[in-house]
Amino acid sequence: MRDTGHSVLSAPRAGKPFQVRFDPTAVADLRRRLSTRLSAPQASGPDWRTGPPQAYLQAFLAEWCDDYDFQAAEHRLNRFAQYLVPVSLADGTELTVHITLEPGSNPSLPPLVMTHGWPSLPCEFHAIVDRLAHPERHHGRADEGATVILLSLPGFGYSSTPRPVHAREIAEAWVRLLEGAFDCPRFHAHGGDWGAVVASWIAIDQPRRLHGLHLSMLGLRPALTPDQPLDDDEKRWVKEVQRRLAADGGYREQYATRPTTLAYGLADSPAFVAAWLLDKYHGWGGAGTGQAPIIPRERMLDLVSLYWFSGSLATAGWIYHADRTQRHELSPGQRCEVPTACAFFGGGFFPPPPTRWVERGHLLRMRRDFAEGGHFPALAVPGFLADTLAEWLRRPGLTSGAEA
């Protein structure tokens, strides 16, 4: 990683310090709602083919109600400094963005900005923040420790938004926020799922802002032209993606077409919130239909609690509604020229793409593949994701192709 000779601010301008607090009155209300054990018909028997099995969900809800230590969770979730920072979209719409910040051991390095996806939150990355910001604590070198900034997508968790916001709008807002709040004109970006879409739009629209791009999922679809037809590997991959979307894409259609209808259940029922999330933590974490989720149970309880108490699982889906008005696709001739690394993890929603497909849209400089980790590698296999990020950030001469 190059030394920029310019330190990022240790706290954001206009940022209001923030900590997660689970209000005792709200906790008591949650426990009251969970005290009535639900019963629901199982369409596929005692497995996960059509959703969380009743026995598993009941046990999860009982643990959330009776055994989950909310004070210990607050301590975990407040490990790093957090802020609420205002930022405006291009049309003047005001957002409040929840930021997690850990100043690195070498403040002169460009920061690493990480954006999560759905249905996740910035705490997904907590297990790898210290490793990246302070590698000397993990058998590494202090001079390689970069400041880490976690940004929560609009409508997710404690980031507020008055309307659905498209990922390309978010990308533009991230650049404005980082320069205005942190005096940070250039940075490294990492993202998975929607975070990958946002980071990739930054690379397309404002490439000079990025030193490098690291993705755990492809965010933008390349333009396909008759003079560059798909090869056999790409055809097989596209067919498999289409199969998986048909089998497991119902949540996207619901969010995209009837988000308000869905919101009533998510606002009223913690059992529905838990079931809605557990279905994805299981299915996209690499577990089989007869297995329990691979993601640690405590991490899932943290995420379910954050979504319930912030009341944001409904608005977190607005990004799918916004996507219907403007797809995340590249135009013919458009390509990301920022040096890009990809770490793909098996067991997720989408299978890892062929390298040729990646190179249609990105200046690919590094690729690493892992058999496990799925859609949530920072939760399921944090060491693997941290290793690939650290390897990428150590590479010399990471500079945007637009400047080279």
Side-chain angles (χ1 to χ4, degrees):
M1 188 188 294
R2 281 194 307 130
D3 191 319
T4 63
H6 183 79
S7 298
V8 175
L9 296 179
S10 58
R13 293 190 186 98
K16 179 182 178 182
F18 174 82
Q19 287 194 320
V20 174
R21 288 286 180 259
F22 298 132
D23 179 73
T25 302
V27 172
D29 177 70
L30 169 69
R31 287 173 168 155
R32 178 188 62 79
R33 292 169 185 263
L34 293 175
S35 63
T36 302
R37 297 291 184 253
L38 79 164
S39 178
Q42 290 282 125
S44 61
D47 58 39
W48 290 77
R49 282 178 293 167
T50 59
Q54 183 170 291
Y56 182 92
L57 181 60
Q58 287 181 334
F60 185 93
L61 297 178
E63 181 175 351
W64 193 16
C65 179
D66 302 328
D67 301 322
Y68 183 67
D69 189 331
F70 288 94
Q71 288 187 327
E74 288 177 347
H75 182 73
R76 275 194 308 277
L77 296 167
N78 292 322
R79 178 182 178 188
F80 304 107
Q82 298 167 76
Y83 303 88
L84 299 178
V85 180
V87 67
S88 299
L89 297 176
D91 66 358
T93 299
E94 294 289 334
L95 309 179
T96 298
V97 179
H98 176 219
I99 292 177
T100 303
L101 173 68
E102 179 62 14
S105 297
N106 185 352
S108 66
L109 294 178
L112 172 63
V113 177
M114 307 182 74
T115 307
H116 62 90
W118 186 90
S120 193
L121 291 166
C123 65
E124 175 188 354
F125 299 124
H126 280 193
I128 66 174
V129 168
D130 197 74
R131 164 87 178 269
L132 297 168
H134 309 291
E136 73 278 9
R137 300 174 184 172
H138 307 269
H139 311 290
R141 293 170 39 180
D143 63 347
E144 295 177 345
T147 292
V148 178
I149 302 173
L150 311 181
L151 300 180
S152 183
L153 291 165
F156 287 70
Y158 300 101
S159 284
S160 65
T161 177
R163 65 166 176 83
V165 184
H166 189 269
R168 200 168 191 174
E169 292 182 280
I170 299 171
E172 192 272 339
W174 270 196
V175 170
R176 184 183 298 110
L177 183 152
L178 289 162
E179 186 157 25
F182 289 100
D183 195 20
C184 174
R186 299 191 71 211
F187 51 94
H188 294 274
H190 165 79
D193 189 62
W194 284 110
V197 180
V198 171
S200 297
W201 277 127
I202 296 174
I204 291 293
D205 292 336
Q206 302 193 59
R208 294 178 182 273
R209 299 291 188 172
L210 293 183
H211 287 275
L213 178 65
H214 188 282
L215 306 173
S216 59
M217 193 181 94
L218 281 191
L220 304 180
R221 288 186 285 271
L224 300 178
T225 56
D227 60 319
Q228 292 186 322
L230 299 179
D231 64 20
D232 290 342
D233 287 341
E234 290 175 302
K235 290 177 181 177
R236 282 191 291 269
W237 179 78
V238 168
K239 186 175 181 179
E240 176 61 14
V241 168
Q242 292 171 338
R243 185 193 70 79
R244 294 195 187 189
L245 282 171
D248 196 23
Y251 75 99
R252 295 157 55 100
E253 295 304 309
Q254 181 71 31
Y255 266 141
T257 60
R258 293 295 186 274
T260 301
T261 304
L262 185 61
Y264 295 120
L266 295 174
D268 183 66
S269 171
F272 185 27
V273 167
W276 190 249
L277 291 169
L278 288 171
D279 182 53
K280 303 313 175 194
Y281 297 154
H282 170 270
W284 300 350
T289 58
Q291 296 176 294
I294 292 172
I295 297 170
R297 195 159 174 131
E298 188 173 69
R299 301 287 82 75
M300 294 191 294
L301 283 163
D302 289 346
L303 286 160
V304 170
S305 296
L306 287 169
Y307 270 120
W308 172 254
F309 289 111
S310 67
S312 66
L313 192 51
T315 54
W318 284 1
I319 195 168
Y320 291 96
H321 186 68
D323 182 55
R324 283 299 174 99
T325 64
Q326 183 183 1
R327 307 294 286 183
H328 41 281
E329 298 175 349
L330 297 176
S331 303
Q334 200 173 35
R335 184 172 182 260
C336 169
E337 298 299 337
V338 172
T340 301
C342 292
F344 295 124
F345 298 85
F349 185 28
F350 294 116
T355 294
R356 186 166 185 259
W357 180 273
V358 180
E359 291 176 335
R360 288 176 182 271
H362 289 274
L363 181 64
L364 185 64
R365 288 290 180 259
M366 186 181 100
R367 174 173 178 156
R368 299 289 181 265
D369 287 84
F370 301 90
E372 57 185 355
H375 194 72
F376 312 98
L379 294 172
V381 288
F384 291 162
L385 180 60
D387 285 345
T388 63
L389 275 162
E391 179 186 0
W392 177 239
L393 296 176
R394 284 195 301 266
R395 289 207 169 194
L398 275 185
T399 182
S400 168
E403 281 194 338

